[in-house]
Amino acid sequence: ELENQLTTKSKTLDELRQSLAFSGSADQSLVALSLRIPELCEMMDSIVSQSKQLKTSMLSMLDNWGVYDEVYTKFSLNIVRYTYHLEECKRSAVSLNALKYQVKILQ
């Protein structure tokens, strides 16, 4: 996507160069073009630099998201396990109380 944007910006710069070349007299357009080219190149370099920074930060965020997803999956699995064990412990406690009651009755 970033490469497509850079391509679009490059085409826009080319169109601006062409429009400057065709507008006005030949001498004025050449002077105007020669004055604008460094500025446009600087803007293009800035855009390329910003897109590289954006790409780097996006890759970092994707890596972080992968770590988050993995941790969340493990955490969810542990919650399910602990919930199951809690339910089993409650059943054991109820069964133990029932057994104690039956022993008292039998005695």
Side-chain angles (χ1 to χ4, degrees):
E1 185 178 330
L2 293 175
E3 291 174 3
N4 291 339
Q5 290 177 356
L6 288 176
T7 304
T8 304
K9 297 286 184 187
S10 177
K11 288 178 183 178
T12 304
L13 286 174
D14 290 339
E15 290 172 4
L16 284 172
R17 288 179 187 147
Q18 289 176 357
S19 69
L20 283 174
F22 292 117
S23 66
S25 68
D27 291 338
Q28 289 177 345
S29 64
L30 289 175
V31 170
L33 183 62
S34 66
L35 293 175
R36 290 282 295 167
I37 287 177
E39 181 183 346
L40 294 174
C41 288
E42 184 179 321
M43 290 170 61
M44 190 168 129
D45 290 342
S46 173
I47 291 169
V48 168
S49 174
Q50 289 174 1
S51 67
K52 286 180 182 179
Q53 290 175 350
L54 180 61
K55 184 177 180 180
T56 302
S57 68
M58 290 299 293
L59 289 174
S60 174
M61 285 199 296
L62 285 175
D63 288 341
N64 290 340
W65 183 258
V67 170
Y68 167 79
D69 191 40
E70 183 181 333
V71 168
Y72 180 78
T73 301
K74 288 180 182 178
F75 179 76
S76 295
L77 180 61
N78 284 334
I79 291 294
V80 170
R81 285 181 182 162
Y82 294 138
T83 304
Y84 173 78
H85 290 299
L86 280 174
E87 290 299 319
E88 286 299 312
C89 288
K90 285 180 185 177
R91 289 182 194 157
S92 297
V94 170
S95 298
L96 182 60
N97 287 336
L99 285 174
K100 286 180 182 179
Y101 181 71
Q102 287 178 356
V103 167
K104 284 182 182 181
I105 291 175
L106 291 174
Q107 288 177 350

